[in-house]
Amino acid sequence: MAAGSCLLLLLPWLVTASHSPPGCKIRITSKGLDLVKQEGLHFVEQELQNITISDLHGKEGQFHYNISQVRVTDLQLASSDLNFQPQQHLVFNINNASISLRFRRQLLYWFFYDIGSINASADGVHIHTVLRLAKDEAGRPKISNITCNASIARMHAGFSGTLRKVYEFLSTFIVTGMRYLLSQQICPSLEHASLVLLNSLLDTVPVRNYVDEHIGIDYSLLRDPSISTDTLDLDFKGMFFPRVREDQELENHAVEPVIKETERMVYVAFSEYFFDSAMLSYFQAGVLNMELQGEKVPKDLEVLLRATFFGTIFMLSPSVDAPLRLVLQVSAPPRCIIKPSGTSVSVSAFLNISLVPPDRPPVQLSSMAMETKLSAKVFLQGKALRVQLDLRRFRIYSKQSALESLALFSLQAPLKTLLQLTIMPIINERTKKGVQIPLPEGMDFIREVVTNHAGFLTVGADLHFSKGLREVIEKYRPVPTAAAYPSSQPAEPSLDP
């Protein structure tokens, strides 16, 4: 009884642990699948045109035949469909297609010998394939399995020459053999195209990459792709990490993104965890600090600071003309807050103001706390997510006394201007490059629209192929082996039965 009670208490925790919320979520809708189908159909046509069919030879009574150098000359894929099939499958159907062939003939009937070419056509070609999507060991989406069925309803061979009537009478043997060989080559060709070539394209999806010299991003899938009748959802970890601590894991307590829209081809959602992990990584990398000294301090601000701390500086005579030094240090990882009204970033920092007399230890004039709130404009361009920050609210106060906080009130406006002119451009220069979204090479986003929600934001967009599937696949095509690719030079046909 006690064991059963413990199990019931642990059950909610086990369910939560098994379903970690994603920091980044991508949804492909039926409209996006239609675009993929158009590009994929062109790719399938090219693969079927490269089918290699074995030579065919035989004997029926006094009729000897040898068929060689079979080549696909044309394809007509009249009707095709690419659909989602719950829970992890894509279904690709080609109906009523036709395939035109041309091959070399060597025929012997009694003492008549003939050689030449034959044009043939396979009509009523039906191909049914089911692709299973899964997460591989590296965390990428992969085609893990394919089932395929192909059939040919009719096949016709056109003969010419003096023995045309004889060939047409005896062509049943040739047509039947060619029909069988062709139908047997369709599925292996599509299996190789899916499990090898298309997976080489999916290998270009970034999983764990460096963003810059300080941080990286982990886009590994948390689980297998989830497919409904209308959508395909991919849950990515979406966690940044400092390069000095690449094995760091940050637990995700943010709201899980929920995508309900289906009007656009693709939707990408980012939770507060996505942005918080980036700012935590920069904080741990030690880059959220800045120091200005001497001539780098804006002249107007230096005059104001010297006037504010005149008494202290005067008491330090004869070092009144010593250079000023400003050290700005973020005291805690910044936090991102996403609301339907907009996205903001809260930052807490310390500002230490000192004099640095030559050959003498620095003399601290003041140490003040700063609280700032930045507005964040998030946008997607091509395949890069970018953020533009703007300083909205700014407050400083003394850590020593309320009286000094009152004296520092006059510094708020010039220090805010200092941040806007010197520090914000540096921060925005870092975010200008952006971070790549986990899409395969050759695919980009266009017509992006950003929508804020409570705890996450979504980017709805359409897909665009900047490169064709063939172009990317040829770039990353695995090195062929003798087992996978038979020789393209057929042996000289023989009339031996």
Side-chain angles (χ1 to χ4, degrees):
M1 181 70 178
S5 300
C6 291
L7 181 60
L8 290 175
L9 291 174
L10 287 173
L11 187 59
W13 181 87
L14 291 172
V15 172
T16 303
S18 64
H19 187 84
S20 302
C24 172
K25 187 184 188 80
I26 292 183
R27 164 169 289 183
I28 299 176
T29 67
S30 296
K31 293 182 179 179
L33 196 63
D34 287 341
L35 179 67
V36 174
K37 185 193 78 171
Q38 296 173 17
E39 187 68 23
L41 190 61
H42 181 59
F43 171 70
V44 168
E45 289 178 350
Q46 293 174 324
E47 286 301 304
L48 293 180
Q49 285 177 341
N50 293 327
I51 286 178
T52 300
I53 301 175
S54 303
D55 295 350
L56 177 67
H57 57 85
K59 173 185 177 183
E60 292 294 334
Q62 298 301 320
F63 180 58
H64 300 256
Y65 59 90
N66 194 321
I67 303 300
S68 62
Q69 299 180 17
V70 183
R71 294 291 180 266
V72 176
T73 58
D74 185 45
L75 282 95
Q76 296 294 329
L77 306 183
S79 175
S80 63
D81 294 301
L82 179 61
N83 299 306
F84 295 120
Q85 177 178 298
Q87 301 288 327
Q88 292 173 245
H89 297 91
L90 294 176
V91 179
F92 183 54
N93 287 318
I94 296 177
N95 298 310
N96 202 27
S98 63
I99 303 176
S100 298
L101 304 171
R102 186 175 180 85
F103 48 87
R104 186 170 182 260
R105 72 175 188 263
Q106 283 181 302
L107 305 174
L108 178 64
Y109 183 65
W110 292 96
F111 53 85
F112 295 102
Y113 174 72
D114 187 45
I115 186 171
S117 297
I118 300 177
N119 293 321
S121 63
D123 299 318
V125 179
H126 297 272
I127 306 172
H128 177 77
T129 55
V130 180
L131 308 176
R132 186 181 188 275
L133 300 181
K135 175 179 75 75
D136 70 0
E137 294 181 355
R140 286 188 177 90
K142 279 296 179 71
I143 300 172
S144 62
N145 189 31
I146 176 175
T147 58
C148 175
N149 294 294
S151 63
I152 300 174
R154 301 170 303 278
M155 192 157 187
H156 171 74
F159 294 88
S160 61
T162 56
L163 299 178
R164 180 170 60 86
K165 293 296 183 181
V166 177
Y167 298 157
E168 288 177 353
F169 176 72
L170 298 173
S171 65
T172 303
F173 310 112
I174 299 175
V175 170
T176 301
M178 289 301 300
R179 177 181 173 186
Y180 174 78
L181 290 176
L182 178 60
S183 62
Q184 292 298 304
Q185 289 299 315
I186 291 175
C187 283
S189 177
L190 294 182
E191 289 173 1
H192 179 265
S194 301
L195 298 177
V196 178
L197 301 184
L198 288 182
N199 274 338
S200 70
L201 173 71
L202 293 176
D203 281 339
T204 65
V205 175
V207 171
R208 192 175 178 89
N209 287 348
Y210 291 141
V211 177
D212 54 29
E213 65 271 24
H214 304 293
I215 68 172
I217 177 71
D218 187 342
Y219 273 130
S220 56
L221 280 173
L222 295 174
R223 55 194 64 90
D224 289 336
S226 176
I227 297 179
S228 70
T229 56
D230 300 313
T231 60
L232 185 156
D233 289 340
L234 301 164
D235 291 346
F236 296 95
K237 181 183 288 187
M239 184 196 77
F240 291 84
F241 57 87
R243 293 180 61 169
V244 294
R245 301 180 187 175
E246 293 198 15
D247 57 346
Q248 173 177 281
E249 288 290 334
L250 177 63
E251 193 171 351
N252 186 354
H253 298 290
V255 174
E256 179 172 354
V258 178
I259 304 175
K260 298 180 179 180
E261 300 88 348
T262 58
E263 291 78 15
R264 308 298 290 271
M265 292 184 182
V266 64
Y267 290 88
V268 189
F270 305 94
S271 73
E272 293 175 344
Y273 170 84
F274 180 87
F275 301 100
D276 283 345
S277 66
M279 293 182 288
L280 173 64
S281 299
Y282 275 124
F283 178 79
Q284 293 178 334
V287 297
L288 300 184
N289 304 320
M290 179 171 290
E291 179 176 321
L292 300 176
Q293 180 174 321
E295 295 181 353
K296 293 184 178 180
V297 179
K299 186 57 66 175
D300 293 343
L301 180 63
E302 181 180 5
V303 172
L304 182 61
L305 289 174
R306 289 185 180 276
T308 302
F309 301 105
F310 175 78
T312 305
I313 295 175
F314 184 78
M315 295 298 295
L316 296 173
S317 179
S319 302
V320 175
D321 294 330
L324 282 173
R325 181 171 66 186
L326 278 64
V327 178
L328 179 65
Q329 183 176 5
V330 175
S331 56
R335 296 299 304 274
C336 174
I337 302 172
I338 304 177
K339 297 180 179 180
S341 57
T343 303
S344 61
V345 178
S346 298
V347 184
S348 298
F350 294 133
L351 177 63
N352 295 321
I353 304 174
S354 306
L355 281 175
V356 282
D359 302 323
R360 292 180 59 184
V363 179
Q364 182 170 298
L365 299 178
S366 178
S367 178
M368 63 186 76
M370 302 173 56
E371 293 182 356
T372 62
K373 193 167 187 178
L374 312 176
S375 65
K377 180 183 178 182
V378 180
F379 57 98
L380 200 59
Q381 187 173 2
K383 207 161 33 182
L385 181 74
R386 295 183 170 93
V387 180
Q388 181 76 26
L389 296 172
D390 188 24
L391 181 61
R392 289 301 183 192
R393 289 193 298 182
F394 175 78
R395 185 173 76 92
I396 58 172
Y397 56 92
S398 172
K399 296 187 296 182
Q400 278 81 29
S401 67
L403 183 62
E404 186 176 1
S405 295
L406 184 62
L408 294 175
F409 183 77
S410 60
L411 290 176
Q412 288 206 158
L415 283 177
K416 183 178 180 180
T417 302
L418 171 68
L419 291 176
Q420 288 175 326
L421 296 179
T422 60
I423 296 179
M424 294 308 300
I426 296 176
I427 296 176
N428 283 323
E429 186 63 28
R430 288 188 181 276
T431 62
K432 182 179 179 181
K433 180 182 178 182
V435 59
Q436 184 180 349
I437 303 303
L439 277 185
E441 184 176 334
M443 297 180 68
D444 292 327
F445 297 107
I446 57 174
R447 294 186 286 274
E448 308 89 349
V449 176
V450 179
T451 305
N452 279 48
H453 304 272
F456 66 95
L457 59 86
T458 60
V459 183
D462 289 334
L463 287 173
H464 167 69
F465 280 93
S466 58
K467 297 179 182 178
L469 288 179
R470 175 64 56 185
E471 180 182 353
V472 179
I473 287 173
E474 289 298 331
K475 180 179 178 181
Y476 297 99
R477 177 188 285 270
V479 178
T481 61
Y485 293 90
S487 174
S488 59
Q489 296 296 328
E492 185 65 27
S494 170
L495 285 179
D496 293 336

